[in-house]
Amino acid sequence: MFWVFEAIASHQLHPKIWRNPKLKKFQIWDFDIAEDESAVLEVRSHDDEEAVCTQRFEWVSFPFKSIRFLVVEFRCVTEKNCKVFQYCDLP
């Protein structure tokens, strides 16, 4: 299942994602597997929004029919510095 996290991480460099101010702060990634074991990975900033980026897989071996991941910007602020990174987790 870690390869799905790798796919999400690799998409962070896509201009449609890193240039979008909404997607810099919050991303919803849906991974849906069809009956023929093909799959689609899509990202959006809100549930009712159209997918911004899509990746299709011809065949996957995955234990679930669908799963959702959230990527959230996280800021760690101290007196000396501020670090910004993204955190990916299941809702």
Side-chain angles (χ1 to χ4, degrees):
M1 187 168 138
F2 290 109
W3 60 269
V4 179
F5 287 109
E6 289 179 13
I8 291 171
S10 70
H11 280 284
Q12 299 307 306
L13 299 175
H14 195 289
K16 287 184 177 180
I17 294 175
W18 63 265
R19 288 184 181 163
N20 185 322
K22 290 181 189 175
L23 290 175
K24 282 179 125 178
K25 296 192 180 292
F26 183 75
Q27 301 168 16
I28 299 171
W29 287 87
D30 289 316
F31 187 62
D32 297 309
I33 295 89
E35 291 296 323
D36 65 355
E37 296 184 324
S38 64
V40 176
L41 179 65
E42 296 181 321
V43 63
R44 57 185 49 84
S45 62
H46 297 289
D47 272 336
D48 58 349
E49 188 176 70
E50 189 173 317
V52 174
C53 205
T54 301
Q55 181 175 358
R56 299 187 189 288
F57 299 88
E58 288 185 32
W59 179 84
V60 297
S61 175
F62 202 73
F64 309 108
K65 291 295 176 193
S66 69
I67 192 165
R68 175 171 275 184
F69 300 94
L70 303 178
V71 176
V72 180
E73 180 182 82
F74 184 78
R75 293 181 180 269
C76 180
V77 180
T78 65
E79 288 181 24
K80 295 184 180 183
N81 64 9
C82 175
K83 294 184 179 179
V84 178
F85 58 93
Q86 290 179 313
Y87 177 75
C88 183
D89 201 358
L90 299 169

